[in-house]
């Protein structure tokens, strides 16, 4: 079995990082940052930056199964947790108070570290070239974090929403700086300003022979730029930067030759049942960080350790030929979460909790294909998407997708995006589909489930219908109330 590229000397890296980070100052210390090596070590500590903790991306689309039958079947399962139920039905009454929303605080922590580097750069010793590199990397971190925040806690951006509330823009390490939310237009201007600085990165993704996607690089900045411009429906720039990133680096993981099963069993009611994971389930930290498709190492994180795929999602795959279905949908996975319930699959990528979410070569191919299709070159777009599919479909059953019109091509490509990376792309894609130049990709979501209150699902009552429709203000998810209260009301909650 072939493995990913493994060229990271993780122990040496983290050992050197920790020796510097032991002396990183906090609000309560007077320890100075004096050298460029300290700032480099701060940005090099992957544990500060690698997780994307959006529960909305996991739960708020039809990738996630919401089912009364599953709820009734899993008496002891995390599937029954109130916060999962409420977020998955787009609640805005209770979720701000559940204490489980960590995306806001985790992304602002990343922004704080980036601002710390920017604050100290002029004061520390070191070469101007290295300072320029760290400055651009810090801005890449900020651009990425602002983009995550605005796409979870704010309305989708267009001319009609530009004066709605955006996010708090932090440009210093001062705790006295205002945390009032900007407008949505100001937020997007700031993201582009940060991205412009990030695109000044000149260093390669491979440094001294080591593949380093956990650090900022020229390729990482280009790849994130492609994602950003696709998210605002600027297909010309999305295509430009996807091509630029692929021109730098274009390695793909081949499911035909680089994927295998890790065979396992689970005991249920004294019976042994197979639970066969993809071998990427048991990856080391160094293998995750150096996964060869990454331009920029980020992992979606779901703390309940079960990505529950909807039947609708699973039906999108050709289950005979698509190796993504064969390996990533693990039969009987539910028994690892609740051994007295019923059998149901789990979506598994890297370990129990994680799915790759940072920009990858596969994503750049899909961005390139979609940008071509939406700007009229849909025949060329179909050729591009096959560059990915040939690495994902069983070579003995491989056939090309066929589109006869531009609309058919776009729909096939956006389906390919969804099945390539469920629980990661879909939430962000639905937001932009509802705010672009066509209506044929609009998304309205609905679920049937029991009613509930703040503390209990009322499973004895008739099912009700929950909806998230185009134009609904619930596309902006509630900010944690702890942030609103601790700001003494300076941070305004979304209105519904």
């Amino acid at each position: 079995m072939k493995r990913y590229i493994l060229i990271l000397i993780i122990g040496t890296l983290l050992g050197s990082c920790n020796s510097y980070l032991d002396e990183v100052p906090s609000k309560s210390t007077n320890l100075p940052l004096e050298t460029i090596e300290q700032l480099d070590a701060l940005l090099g500590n992957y544990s500060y930056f690698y997780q994307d903790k959006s529960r909305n991306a996991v739960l708020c689309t039809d990738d996630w199964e919401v089912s009364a039958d599953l709820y009734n079947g899993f008496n002891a399962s995390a599937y029954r947790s109130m916060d999962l139920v409420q977020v998955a039905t787009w609640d805005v009454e209770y979720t701000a108070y559940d204490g489980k929303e960590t995306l806001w605080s985790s992304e602002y922590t990343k922004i704080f570290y980036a601002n710390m580097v920017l604050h100290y750069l002029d004061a520390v010793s070191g070469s101007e070239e290295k300072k320029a590199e760290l400055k651009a990397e810090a801005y890449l971190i900020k651009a990425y974090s602002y983009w995550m925040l605005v796409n979870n806690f704010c309305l989708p951006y267009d001319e009609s929403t530009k004066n709605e509330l955006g996010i708090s823009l932090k440009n210093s390490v001062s705790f006295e700086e205002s945390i009032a939310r900007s407008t949505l237009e100001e937020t997007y201007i700031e993201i582009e300003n940060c991205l412009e600085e990030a695109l000044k990165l000149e260093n390669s993704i491979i440094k001294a022979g080591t593949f380093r996607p956990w650090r900022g690089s020229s390729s990482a900045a280009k790849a994130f730029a492609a994602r950003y411009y696709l998210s605002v429906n600027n297909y010309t720039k999305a295509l430009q930067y996807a091509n630029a990133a692929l021109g730098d680096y274009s390695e793909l993981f081949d499911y035909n030759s680089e994927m295998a099963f890790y065979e396992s069993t689970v005991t249920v009611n004294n019976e042994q049942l197979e639970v066969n994971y993809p071998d990427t389930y048991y990856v080391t930290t160094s293998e995750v960080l150096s996964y060869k498709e990454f331009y920029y190492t980020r992992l979606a994180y779901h703390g309940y350790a079960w990505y529950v795929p909807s039947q609708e999602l699973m039906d999108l795959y050709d289950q005979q030929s698509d190796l993504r279905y064969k390996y990533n949908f693990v039969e009987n996975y539910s028994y690892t979460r609740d051994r007295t319930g019923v059998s149901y699959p789990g979506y598994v990528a890297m370990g129990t909790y994680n799915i790759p979410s940072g920009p990858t070569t596969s994503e750049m191919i899909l961005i390139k294909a979609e940008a071509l299709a939406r700007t009229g070159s849909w025949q060329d777009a179909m050729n591009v998407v096959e560059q990915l599919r040939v690495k994902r479909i069983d070579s003995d059953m491989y056939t090309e997708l066929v589109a006869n019109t531009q609309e058919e091509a776009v729909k096939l490509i956006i389906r390919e995006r969804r099945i390539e990376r469920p629980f990661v792309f879909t939430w962000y894609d639905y937001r932009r589909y509802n705010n672009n130049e066509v209506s044929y990709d609009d998304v309205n979501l609905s679920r049937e489930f029991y009613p509930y209150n703040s503390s209990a699902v009322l499973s004895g009552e008739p099912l009700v219908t929950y909806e998230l429709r185009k134009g609904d203000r619930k596309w902006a998810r509630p900010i944690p109330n702890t942030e609103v209260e601790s700001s003494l009301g300076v941070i305004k909650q979304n209105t519904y």
Side-chain angles (χ1 to χ4, degrees), residues 54-57 59-60 83 85-96 98 101 103-104 148-156 181 427 431 452 467-468 472-480 492-496:
S54 174
R55 59 181 182 171
N56 308 309
L59 302 171
C60 283
D83 60 307
V85 169
Q86 291 164 349
V87 175
T89 52
W90 312 294
D91 168 75
V92 294
E93 183 177 0
Y94 305 120
T95 52
D98 65 16
E101 178 59 77
L103 179 68
W104 182 276
M148 289 288 295
L149 289 162
V150 78
N151 277 286
N152 280 273
F153 299 108
C154 303
L155 293 171
R181 295 175 69 180
W427 170 254
R431 287 170 58 92
Y452 53 77
E467 293 186 314
L468 180 64
D472 199 319
R473 296 190 68 84
K474 291 185 293 187
W475 286 99
R477 305 307 301 144
I479 294 170
K492 301 297 183 185
Q493 182 60 271
N494 293 320
T495 57
Y496 301 99

Side-chain angles (χ1 to χ4, degrees), residues 52-77:
D52 292 340
K53 296 182 178 180
S54 174
R55 59 181 182 171
N56 308 309
V58 174
L59 302 171
C60 283
T61 76
D62 41 5
D63 288 352
W64 177 268
E65 184 65 56
V66 174
S67 164
D69 288 341
L70 282 184
Y71 184 85
N72 293 334
F74 295 111
N75 295 324
S77 172

Side-chain angles (χ1 to χ4, degrees), residues 8 10 46 50 213-214 284-291 294 297:
L8 173 62
I10 194 68
Y46 78 93
Y50 79 102
W214 71 92
T284 65
T285 298
S286 58
E287 287 176 312
V288 170
L289 290 179
S290 58
Y291 174 57
F294 271 138
T297 302

